[in-house]
Amino acid sequence: MSLNDEFKILTWEYFGEELKRFRETAGLTQQALGDMVYVSASYIAQFESGKRKPQLDVSERLDNVPHTGGVLVRMVKKLVQTSKQFADFFGLMREAEQKATSIHEYENVRLPGVLQTRPYAEAIIRAMHPLSEEQVVTDLVDGRMNRATILEGPARPAYWLVLHETALHTRIGGDDVMRGQLEHVLRLIDLNVIGVQVLPFTEGAVGAMVSPILLLEFADLPSIVYTEGLSSADITDDPRAYRQAEEVYALLRTAALPISASRELIESRAEKYF
């Protein structure tokens, strides 16, 4: 069985269905179960719908109340382990971005996907897939372009980017592509669609020690943090992990240039690509 197949079978929704079944078998209301495990009834409802994931200590208490024989803890451990190994997260992330009310992002080498122009995105994707067929490249570029639609219309999320200055100097696709890319970012800034702060080289270790971060907040779902490596990714709504990521992001914003100075620096770099 592939990891994808396993992930489809054991999901947080399935965990919620089993929790509900155990609760109802024990004759407990959501409020009664919540009181026993020290969480609110709304938390139990979100656990059962798969919208919120219980911490391990909470799942241990859930196991003790309806006498489940430890199955809930085993499921939580398996789901957490699987989620850390699962590399193809961005199908989930695309859906999450569409539902987000606010997005805070940090990028250290390139412009983030949601802001990329088509030529810029194509240059990156061709570099990542040098032996792929043309249709594969086209499909990947189309998918990336579709992400940008979340910034359109009145229901768009509040979007804030901290961008390391390295990304302004990383020449992707040639001078024309870089100029077009940076001019695109400037237009979005001037239209108040996005907010951008540049983290300058002079801040040294602050940016050098941090990998890209994506923080998403929702109207009726737990906030999530997403990080991505070369061949792996991690998405979690663990409140402790989210708070830690928020603290790191706050440090980055504090070290970054003010909004006006950031815009001036981006405009200056765009002019150098003429």
Side-chain angles (χ1 to χ4, degrees):
M1 181 184 298
S2 70
L3 187 58
N4 286 319
D5 292 334
E6 183 177 352
F7 200 73
K8 291 175 183 176
I9 293 171
L10 182 56
T11 64
W12 289 107
E13 289 77 12
Y14 180 77
F15 170 90
E17 292 170 2
E18 288 297 285
L19 172 60
K20 181 179 181 180
R21 183 173 67 82
F22 284 125
R23 176 179 62 78
E24 291 178 343
T25 299
L28 298 171
T29 64
Q30 291 177 338
Q31 182 65 60
L33 179 56
D35 290 343
M36 291 179 178
V37 300
Y38 314 115
V39 300
S40 67
S42 63
Y43 264 52
I44 298 297
Q46 290 181 53
F47 293 158
E48 292 183 351
S49 67
K51 291 182 177 180
R52 183 181 289 271
K53 306 172 184 63
Q55 299 297 311
L56 185 58
D57 60 336
V58 175
S59 63
E60 288 172 346
R61 294 199 293 273
L62 288 170
D63 259 333
N64 289 333
V65 175
H67 308 292
T68 63
V71 67
L72 295 179
V73 169
R74 292 195 295 272
M75 289 175 67
V76 168
K77 288 181 177 179
K78 184 64 174 178
L79 282 164
V80 170
Q81 179 186 26
T82 301
S83 65
K84 289 181 177 179
Q85 295 171 346
F86 191 47
D88 187 21
F89 275 110
F90 236 86
L92 298 175
M93 287 305 300
R94 289 190 188 97
E95 181 180 355
E97 285 179 330
Q98 293 170 353
K99 296 179 179 179
T101 56
S102 71
I103 299 175
H104 292 80
E105 191 160 11
Y106 170 68
E107 270 287 354
N108 56 1
V109 177
R110 60 189 180 186
L111 273 296
V114 73
L115 301 184
Q116 291 176 9
T117 63
R118 190 175 191 90
Y120 187 93
E122 183 175 344
I124 290 175
I125 288 171
R126 286 190 183 281
M128 293 175 64
H129 304 274
L131 302 180
S132 294
E133 296 180 358
E134 191 65 24
Q135 188 59 52
V136 172
V137 173
T138 299
D139 290 345
L140 289 171
V141 174
D142 288 344
R144 186 158 299 181
M145 292 300 96
N146 287 337
R147 286 185 60 203
T149 60
I150 67 168
L151 296 179
E152 299 174 358
R156 66 177 181 263
Y159 180 89
W160 197 274
L161 170 67
V162 177
L163 183 69
H164 198 283
E165 188 177 353
T166 299
L168 304 180
H169 295 263
T170 304
R171 188 175 175 274
I172 294 174
D175 287 355
D176 290 343
V177 171
M178 285 300 299
R179 182 172 65 252
Q181 175 63 70
L182 297 184
E183 288 175 345
H184 174 64
V185 171
L186 291 168
R187 281 194 295 272
L188 293 177
I189 292 173
D190 293 341
L191 290 170
N192 294 320
V193 174
I194 63 173
V196 180
Q197 287 181 262
V198 176
L199 184 66
F201 289 129
T202 52
E203 288 301 319
V206 174
M209 297 302 292
V210 182
S211 300
I213 301 172
L214 185 61
L215 300 167
L216 287 83
E217 295 182 353
F218 308 89
D220 57 356
L221 294 171
S223 300
I224 62 175
V225 56
Y226 173 90
T227 56
E228 187 174 2
L230 179 62
S231 59
S232 63
D234 185 42
I235 179 174
T236 180
D237 63 359
D238 182 334
R240 290 169 294 186
Y242 190 85
R243 284 196 298 272
Q244 182 182 17
E246 272 190 316
E247 292 172 359
V248 172
Y249 194 82
L251 176 63
L252 293 168
R253 284 193 65 173
T254 300
L257 296 173
I259 298 172
S260 58
S262 295
R263 191 200 180 286
E264 290 175 3
L265 181 56
I266 295 171
E267 185 174 35
S268 174
R269 286 304 305 166
E271 291 173 353
K272 293 184 183 301
Y273 289 112
F274 276 96

